Amino acid sequence: MTKKLLKTWQKPSITPHQMGTLNKFGRPVSGDYVEKIDGVAVSDLLREYGSPLFVISEKRLRDNIRQMKRAFESRYQPVIHAWSYKTNYLNAVCATLHQEGSWAEVVSAFEYEKARALGVPAERILFNGPHKKRAILERCVTEGARIHIDNLDELYLLDTIAREFDKVTSVTLRLNFDTGYTEDWSRFGFNLGSGAALDAAIRIGNSSHLKLRGLHSHIGTFILDPRAYQVQVEKMCGFMELIEQQTHALIDSIDIGGGFASQNALQGSYLPTEQVVPTMSQYADTICGTLLKMTAQREAQGKPRLKLILESGRAVVDDSEVLISSVVAGKRLPDGRASYVMDAGVNLLFTAFWYNHKVKHTRPLQGIPEETVLYGPLCMNIDIIRQSILLPPLSVGDSLVLSPAGAYNNTQWMQFIEYRPAIVMVHENSLVSVVRRAEKLEDLNGFESLPTHLNGQFKFAE
Ligand SMILES: *Cc1c(COP(=O)(O)O)cnc(C)c1O
């Protein structure tokens, strides 16, 4: 049955536009719209799986990691890619990347267990992060995962465990230092400048059961200037020479962490993403070029070639996933701006706090674009998925595709007020699988138990 939609009356408003150039609302949205995702109609997806809905493109995910591998491996070998679980630890996403050869990079006992349960061998897991309790360290030592030591307490505990289990354990030291291009992340790992890193390396050198084999640092995130990585590689290689001279350490790998920017628009950035985000080739050129230069002498001495380890998260997954959200209601604000209540908010699109996501409609829209606010469904003032965007008038039921949404949303989303919706993956043959079903009341109540005396007998006021 087709329905004829009556046009609703809206209070007229005037919005000044400087078409063709940047104005304070950013660039005018283009008239193009997304009807299909990898060959599957958005309307079919919503009919089948409901709204809101996360949609992952398996093809884009594979293309992204393959492109990154090509960019690096054509300039340096061997390179190991380790998938940063916290960026998106859906099993379907991790499994796709493991099929493409990526190892797992985890930062908690939960993530370690998730990787192991998915079938990742311990020797293919890198364990970062400041919080590793004894039980999980014991498991890592027995299973042979590579632990990246964050602090002295961890170093002592690990040494104790390795001796108790009488297991010689290869470890990596996490370093921090000023690159001149990135923020101060001195809370993670050992500082180079203060001497803490050298001190830690010497302590490991004195241990009978710990062997220092790797150096790691993760200097920041959404790094827009590749020169940050040049400084990073230079400093790490300089430190490597120092400790190889002063201790018995023989380093097998330099792990430069993640931090490559994705195709997302940081709030406050006025230039279009394509103009500010370096290409994978630009990152790879700087990193591999510096590494080759810094290790030439070492290789001439006959030392084995270093493995370059990358832990890129957002740049791999961000643009392979979108969030589709529908208009629940429209409301003209007192100052004349258009606003809409959407069925997805910061509960699902956590990254709306710092990105201006691309917003595309899913059908051609008539009408003049005007300044619009997109609110989420939460009864909470900060639930805004877009403070200001130019959009033509929308109707209840219209859906919008918000992207990129693949990084740090399915892990940082919160079950607050609303259920979390389904996540589907569109495969390369345009078939669709549910990779995480929508939450139900039983799921959430399943965590709780009600003390017997609180069960019923409610005495409601009249
Ligand atoms: C989060 C994290 C990454 C991934 O960072 P991106 O900015 O998403 O590339 C890599 N390594 C470590 C240690 C991390 O904590």
Side-chain angles (χ1 to χ4, degrees), residues 334-349:
D335 61 10
R337 286 177 300 161
S339 82
Y340 297 96
V341 180
M342 308 297 297
D343 58 10
V346 294
N347 53 325
L348 304 181
L349 199 66

Side-chain angles (χ1 to χ4, degrees), residues 200-263:
I202 291 171
R203 282 169 202 267
I204 297 173
N206 291 335
S207 156
S208 57
H209 283 75
L210 299 184
K211 295 280 166 258
L212 179 53
R213 302 304 310 280
L215 295 178
H216 169 272
S217 65
H218 174 62
I219 54 173
T221 195
F222 217 90
I223 295 169
L224 294 172
D225 194 333
R227 284 175 296 180
Y229 290 100
Q230 180 186 332
V231 177
Q232 179 191 26
V233 172
E234 285 169 357
K235 292 209 169 189
M236 292 179 79
C237 289
F239 181 71
M240 172 177 65
E241 282 172 27
L242 179 73
I243 57 165
E244 285 190 341
Q245 280 162 16
Q246 299 207 359
T247 72
H248 303 298
L250 178 62
I251 298 302
D252 66 6
S253 55
I254 291 273
D255 181 336
I256 61 160
F260 301 156
S262 68
Q263 297 296 316

Side-chain angles (χ1 to χ4, degrees), residues 33 47 49 74 88 135 233 274 341 374:
Y33 58 98
R47 195 173 319 113
Y49 307 104
S74 58
N88 188 326
V233 172
E274 315 81 73
V341 180
L374 297 176

Side-chain angles (χ1 to χ4, degrees), residues 54-71:
F54 281 98
V55 185
I56 302 168
S57 161
E58 183 183 339
K59 178 177 187 320
R60 178 60 78 90
L61 186 57
R62 288 188 191 273
D63 284 352
N64 285 353
I65 185 70
R66 286 176 193 174
Q67 197 197 337
M68 185 171 160
K69 288 177 86 163
R70 267 197 306 276

